[in-house]
Amino acid sequence: MTSSRPDGQRSPTLEEVAEWAGVSRSTVSRVINGVSTVDPELRELVQRAIDATGYVPNLAARSLVTRRTDSVALVVSEPDDRTEQTEPFLNRIFTDPFLGRITAGALEVLRPEGIHLVIMPAESPAHHHVLRYLRQGHVDGVLLISSSDEDPLPQQLCDLGIPAVLSARPGKPLPMSYVDVEQQVGAKLAAEHLLAIGRHHLATISGPLDMPSSQDRLAGFRAALAVHGHAYVPSAAGNFTRASGEQAARELFAAHPEIDGLFVANDLMAEGALQALRDLGRRVPEEVAVVGFDNSIAALQCRPRLTTIHQPLEEMAAEMARLLLARIGKADPKPRSVIFHPRLVKRESA
Amino acid sequence: MTSSRPDGQRSPTLEEVAEWAGVSRSTVSRVINGVSTVDPELRELVQRAIDATGYVPNLAARSLVTRRTDSVALVVSEPDDRTEQTEPFLNRIFTDPFLGRITAGALEVLRPEGIHLVIMPAESPAHHHVLRYLRQGHVDGVLLISSSDEDPLPQQLCDLGIPAVLSARPGKPLPMSYVDVEQQVGAKLAAEHLLAIGRHHLATISGPLDMPSSQDRLAGFRAALAVHGHAYVPSAAGNFTRASGEQAARELFAAHPEIDGLFVANDLMAEGALQALRDLGRRVPEEVAVVGFDNSIAALQCRPRLTTIHQPLEEMAAEMARLLLARIGKADPKPRSVIFHPRLVKRESA
DNA sequence: GGTATTCCAGGGAGCGCTCTCTCCAAGGTC
DNA sequence: GACCTTGGAGAGAGCGCTCCCTGGAATACC
């Protein structure tokens, strides 16, 4: 039960709590921080003092000494060259179920540790802004969702010695921990499923080609088909939004009306493609089979429901958080990477 | 050009920069903070020292003195009683374009002021966690997106004297600034449009009924129809997700197959309703006209494109930020509210 | 030329906490 | 009973910064 202080008044300090309890500042500090060498009776007394005064430790003072803030940032970064897009960055990241799943997974690990997560969008013009925030020491480390291999942020964090973990293999080799899914294997799963259900004219809608994960999915799809004698695979690139998927599908079918199997690099674009196919009067899956990627909520919300490649984003984010905490705890410089396995989820679209 | 320090080494302090430049700590501090009473030559020298050492002010030390952090939180709150839902909270908020628009609008105002925005989801079991974060003084104030009139968070922030601005009229009167849109007027616009295009059997899908804004939209719709002699208006409540809109539409049309005009309390649910109508074989807008609310990107992505009520979320969020900054600057306790006007955006669905 | 005034750099206190070091008291050992 | 060990509380320094106050140099005034 905290007594609410009258407005504008400063919150009580350790010293005041100590006075209330008739002990020293040190003892109160020990109680707050759970140091065991405190007489149980005193501990009880101090606890009452804390409750009575409504004491909350002053973060600034504490972290000035400890050099810890007990919070980490989830930074969603966007490179320069993709800023001029139909859909604004913030719209995109807050519309894709992706971010919600990452957040959920990270919180799963961070909350029990008492660590706060702050989410910061970092589209390119505001990069320096976010960088300043991170350098000022607001957070102990960062979970970095970086989408382009041209993104300077990973390198910058590295240089500054700010603990960070990436959400995917970095474009350029970097001494940083990261988490990833076997992108190529996922694409292969999709390819082989499409072949297995008897499709012969396959095509793919990829993500932005400056992203390693997009490159991998595209390469994986092509490689798997090459093994089965398909030398040429039409493809079009989107930017992971529904609208871009719709657009890409239109282009693809305009140029290659014979396509009967489509692998789309995420579910949102697949949903857009489904839209395009409906407009074009192509029945799914009868005439065209569609496989997505992510197994997000979007895959369940479209008609027909999407066959897709599941990637365990929540677990991946949780692992990112674990890697980050390990890195923050000991200044252990050797980076680790953890790779997850994708799997095919069969539904109606293929 | 900042020189990158070798890993693990602490960042330089004011004192070190002062030594480099051969001046006092105070002078460097003045340069950093843009105090004008510094000799231009010295200023120049100090600036070189700052660049050379790669100095960044230590936030903890600074805010220990200034009691400011130059960051504010965007807290998205969720009450207890709505936690057991089909779609997890994080999925919901990170799928609705709503949050992206709010963020964009707030950043528009905050970034030029050099103020950082940190986003924190606060579903009920983690409420105390977020509250602790706020009380510790991580931020100077909070933009609160609170959805239920049962939500204790606004009251708590009030009691703690933490500057905050609400995104909507609070359920219970509270001495807090807020921003809102004329919900009832918006609903009236929808009602009158549906009547104007000759619909007679009107129904509505509302948001969660513990939200003042949902209540207002529902009441406004009913009131407008009452004026035109419609005493009974079937309604079903959703939770602002696509899936819930689909579900609600199914229920509504099962019970009232005669419905020919539907007002849905947000675009996402309207999209779900469109889905349901497609499944039911009802043509939109020929057999059933549908009007949404928000004018979000979702309204453009569905087929037929959605006629909807526009609310200027970006401007509203910007105004929230402005109100908050005013509140933080001077400890001016008198709350203000700013109400925005909705308007009808005609597209294909009605 | 001496004194009052202005300007601007430096000195020092102190923000609220942690953490080490010191010190006292109680218990154990011979 | 004198000495040593140990448990647990208090004292004090110091984290890096801001901000007030002081003081010296430069300028203005009589």
Side-chain angles (χ1 to χ4, degrees), chain A residues 136-190:
Chain A
Q136 281 182 336
H138 277 96
V139 295
D140 299 333
V142 2
L143 301 173
L144 183 54
I145 316 287
S146 176
S147 47
S148 161
D149 50 13
E150 297 298 331
D151 191 345
L153 208 46
Q155 180 71 59
Q156 287 168 325
L157 292 180
C158 223
D159 290 350
L160 292 168
I162 298 171
V165 175
L166 297 175
S167 66
R169 172 173 69 79
K172 299 156 185 164
L174 224 48
M176 274 178 125
S177 292
Y178 68 88
V179 156
D180 209 338
V181 72
E182 292 170 328
Q183 308 285 0
Q184 302 227 14
V185 172
K188 181 167 169 244
L189 251 31

Side-chain angles (χ1 to χ4, degrees), chain B residues 96-98 101 267-268 293-301 308-310 313 347:
Chain B
D96 196 325
F98 182 82
R101 292 177 68 189
D267 289 346
L268 231 47
F293 203 110
D294 272 356
N295 192 25
S296 70
I297 188 102
L300 287 166
Q301 290 185 340
T308 188
I309 306 298
H310 174 81
L313 283 182
R347 295 210 183 86

Side-chain angles (χ1 to χ4, degrees), chain B residues 10 14 25 29 33 55 62:
Chain B
R10 274 224 310 291
L14 253 200
R25 195 169 13 108
S29 175
N33 294 298
Y55 173 77
R62 168 180 282 172

Side-chain angles (χ1 to χ4, degrees), chain A residues 14 25 29 55 62:
Chain A
L14 253 199
R25 196 167 12 108
S29 175
Y55 173 76
R62 168 180 281 175

Side-chain angles (χ1 to χ4, degrees), chain B residues 28-93:
Chain B
V28 180
S29 175
R30 276 188 276 262
V31 172
I32 301 275
N33 294 298
V35 176
S36 59
T37 65
V38 177
D39 189 285
E41 227 165 285
L42 265 193
R43 175 182 299 278
E44 172 89 4
L45 175 64
V46 169
Q47 193 57 57
R48 269 206 304 279
I50 292 169
D51 293 345
T53 52
Y55 173 77
V56 179
N58 178 307
L59 171 85
R62 168 180 282 172
S63 76
L64 180 55
V65 179
T66 60
R67 310 190 161 280
R68 294 248 344 216
T69 63
D70 286 337
S71 42
V72 308
L74 174 64
V75 173
V76 188
S77 176
E78 170 90 349
D80 271 335
D81 49 340
R82 234 187 297 149
T83 48
E84 283 311 328
Q85 297 207 335
T86 46
E87 234 175 292
F89 175 63
L90 290 171
N91 251 338
R92 252 178 303 140
I93 64 170

